[in-house]
Amino acid sequence: MRLVLPLIMILTLPVLAGCAPDGGTVTRPGDDAAMTGQGLFEVYCARCHGDAGRGDGVMAPMLDTAPSDLTQLAARNGGKYPAQDVIARIHGYPGQFDVMPEYGPLFADRTAIWRDPDTGAAMKTPRALVALSAYLSTIQAPAPG
């Protein structure tokens, strides 16, 4: 099963190669339109996390670690979307979140300024990462009750 992640990376390299930053716009090969957070999710995340982000993507049964249900991020954080944690988890740190693929070229652009909603701190953050996190915040399941 540990061979699945390298296989995913090999299959996605042609896509990633076409995602080099272009003045802050993230594009797919042959696609002139800027990628939205939802578009990025569909291209890079849905295979594992599922079309609706519930952790039920077509690749999920083949992975050693089950993908997270991304619609429950806020619920697991006391009802508040954990933007900083999501950005850190997606971007990854060497050796920490090794179950997530690395999307180096996609996140090479650090021209966006993202403000942490908890602290107000401004951080240079890749535009694609800001867009993806913003999209994930919109798919959170409503709080029970």
Side-chain angles (χ1 to χ4, degrees):
M1 290 293 172
R2 294 303 300 170
L3 294 177
V4 173
L5 195 54
L7 179 60
I8 292 169
M9 290 306 297
I10 290 169
L11 294 174
T12 59
L13 282 177
V15 174
L16 293 176
C19 293
D22 176 24
T25 301
V26 180
T27 59
R28 287 185 286 188
D31 185 356
D32 293 331
M35 289 293 290
T36 64
Q38 181 176 356
L40 290 165
F41 181 84
E42 290 169 359
V43 171
Y44 298 103
C45 310
R47 284 186 186 104
C48 295
H49 291 282
D51 292 338
R54 293 192 180 100
D56 58 356
V58 297
M59 297 297 295
M62 294 175 255
L63 300 174
D64 290 338
T65 302
S68 296
D69 179 343
L70 301 177
T71 68
Q72 297 297 311
L73 296 170
R76 291 191 302 259
N77 191 50
K80 184 174 182 189
Y81 177 72
Q84 185 173 11
D85 291 342
V86 169
I87 286 173
R89 181 71 173 215
I90 295 169
H91 195 261
Y93 297 103
Q96 258 191 321
F97 304 128
D98 58 352
V99 297
M100 290 280 294
E102 287 188 36
Y103 294 114
L106 181 64
F107 296 143
D109 167 30
R110 297 197 183 279
T111 59
I113 300 296
W114 175 77
R115 289 202 178 273
D116 182 334
D118 294 330
T119 66
M123 295 175 241
K124 287 185 177 181
T125 307
R127 288 180 187 270
L129 193 51
V130 171
L132 185 53
S133 178
Y135 170 70
L136 292 176
S137 74
T138 70
I139 65 167
Q140 298 307 294

